[in-house]
Amino acid sequence: MMTEYSRKAILLMIWMGLTLIGSQSFGQIEKKETERTAPRMNLIGTQLNNDSILLEASVKIKREGSWQPIDFEPIKFSAHNDSTTISLGESLTSDKGIATLKVGISALNVGENGQWNFGSIFEGNEIASNGEAELSIKKIGITLSGEKKDTVYSLTLKLFIPGKENTPLSEKEVIFYIRRHFSNLKIAEGTTNENGEVTIECPQNIPGDEHGNIMLIGRVDDLEEYGSVAASITKPWGIPLKESNYQSARTLSTHAPPLWMVIVFAILMTTVWGHYLVIIYKLVNIRKLKIQNP
């Protein structure tokens, strides 16, 4: 028969085993709770009108099998050369996980290799660890001009590498837009010739402001060593928007949304809030019944 001493020894061993298993399980749970996902960061730059650069840093993490944006988190931007680092500022990411910052070229120092060097830092949060991205681009020149001949409006964009003698960039894809409130309206595209130039005809049926002014944009994306580049000008080539026809100009490109969109929005909001009111009404009735019939 098992002695009292043997029984106590077995119970002690069982207790120690359970304690060890429990501590390991707790450690695994605690590790899962504190483990954070490494983000994926990207930094791009767009040179604007030869006087500023728009920096765009995107932050995403992989969750549930897809890359999802990290929204409304601060991103720190900096510029650095061979010896110094300058803080450019901080910006919050949008609902798409993109933080933007516009900096003037005159405030930037060029490194010995003739490049601007930028950095972006995300310091992490409860679900994502810290991350960073860097960008190096060289200066590029761009001009955008408009000309009216008879009844034809034309836009000419020139792309070149600045220096003692400007070097034209040929065979580069250029896209032209008209600035709209929600998203830019693409009107044409073309390819630069041996002189680094491309000319397109501008449409004349575009609504403008009360004076008929419209903002025209020429953009070239993803140039090797130079990033993206864009230039814009404003011309009175649009249809003046008068107060009398403001209501008729209900489009996605104007301040007034289409009427069908307003009606659909009103129906959806009425339905949602109607359900809330019905639920509240039923909860009040249930409480009254409980008070009357305890």
Side-chain angles (χ1 to χ4, degrees):
M1 295 182 64
M2 185 179 297
T3 63
E4 185 68 20
Y5 176 80
S6 301
R7 190 181 298 112
K8 289 183 179 180
I10 293 174
L11 291 175
L12 180 60
M13 292 175 63
I14 294 174
W15 178 81
M16 292 177 63
L18 292 175
T19 302
L20 180 61
I21 294 173
S23 62
Q24 290 178 348
S25 300
F26 179 79
Q28 291 176 356
I29 294 172
E30 186 178 10
K31 183 178 179 181
K32 288 183 179 179
E33 289 179 350
T34 58
E35 186 177 358
R36 297 183 296 172
T37 304
R40 182 174 69 181
M41 289 192 64
N42 187 37
L43 179 61
I44 62 174
T46 303
Q47 301 184 47
L48 304 174
N49 293 336
N50 300 316
D51 61 5
S52 59
I53 298 177
L54 180 66
L55 298 173
E56 299 177 87
S58 63
V59 191
K60 296 181 179 180
I61 58 172
K62 195 165 188 179
R63 302 180 66 186
E64 300 176 356
S66 64
W67 288 99
Q68 301 179 11
I70 297 179
D71 53 0
F72 310 114
E73 291 288 346
I75 304 296
K76 295 181 179 180
F77 294 89
S78 62
H80 56 90
N81 53 30
D82 303 317
S83 58
T84 60
T85 298
I86 302 173
S87 174
L88 298 176
E90 186 176 292
S91 178
L92 291 179
T93 57
S94 65
D95 57 348
K96 296 181 180 180
I98 300 175
T100 61
L101 185 70
K102 188 177 181 180
V103 294
I105 288 178
S106 59
L108 300 175
N109 294 323
V110 180
E112 292 183 357
N113 54 4
Q115 292 181 326
W116 289 304
N117 303 306
F118 301 101
S120 60
I121 296 177
F122 169 60
E123 295 184 342
N125 57 17
E126 65 276 3
I127 61 173
S129 58
N130 61 311
E132 60 183 47
E134 294 184 347
L135 170 70
S136 295
I137 55 176
K138 293 182 178 180
K139 182 176 177 58
I140 192 171
I142 184 172
T143 61
L144 181 64
S145 58
E147 185 180 10
K148 178 182 178 181
K149 288 185 178 180
D150 297 327
T151 59
V152 177
Y153 300 138
S154 61
L155 282 175
T156 299
L157 182 142
K158 186 174 182 179
L159 197 65
F160 58 92
I161 301 173
K164 293 182 179 179
E165 294 184 3
N166 294 335
T167 304
L169 288 175
S170 60
E171 298 184 356
K172 302 301 180 183
E173 297 293 329
V174 182
I175 302 179
F176 295 88
Y177 302 91
I178 293 179
R179 177 70 173 174
R180 298 286 87 181
H181 293 295
F182 295 102
S183 61
N184 295 333
L185 175 64
K186 179 181 175 180
I187 57 172
E189 60 181 78
T191 305
T192 56
N193 58 21
E194 64 276 5
N195 298 319
E197 297 180 350
V198 57
T199 300
I200 60 103
E201 183 177 338
C202 179
Q204 303 179 30
N205 58 348
I206 303 297
D209 60 12
E210 62 272 15
H211 303 294
N213 293 319
I214 55 176
M215 181 181 286
L216 301 156
I217 303 169
R219 183 180 178 92
V220 186
D221 289 315
D222 300 328
L223 289 170
E224 186 177 357
E225 296 185 312
Y226 305 99
S228 299
V229 61
S232 62
I233 58 172
T234 300
K235 290 289 184 179
W237 292 352
I239 301 173
L241 185 60
K242 299 179 181 179
E243 188 67 27
S244 58
N245 64 3
Y246 180 77
Q247 293 297 327
S248 62
R250 287 182 170 271
T251 65
L252 290 176
S253 61
T254 63
H255 286 293
L259 189 60
W260 65 266
M261 186 176 291
V262 176
I263 295 174
V264 170
F265 177 78
I267 293 173
L268 291 175
M269 293 303 296
T270 302
T271 303
V272 172
W273 283 103
H275 280 82
Y276 286 149
L277 293 175
V278 170
I279 292 172
I280 293 172
Y281 174 77
K282 290 185 176 180
L283 289 174
V284 171
N285 284 342
I286 291 173
R287 184 176 181 183
K288 287 181 179 179
L289 289 174
K290 286 186 176 180
I291 293 174
Q292 294 174 359
N293 305 298

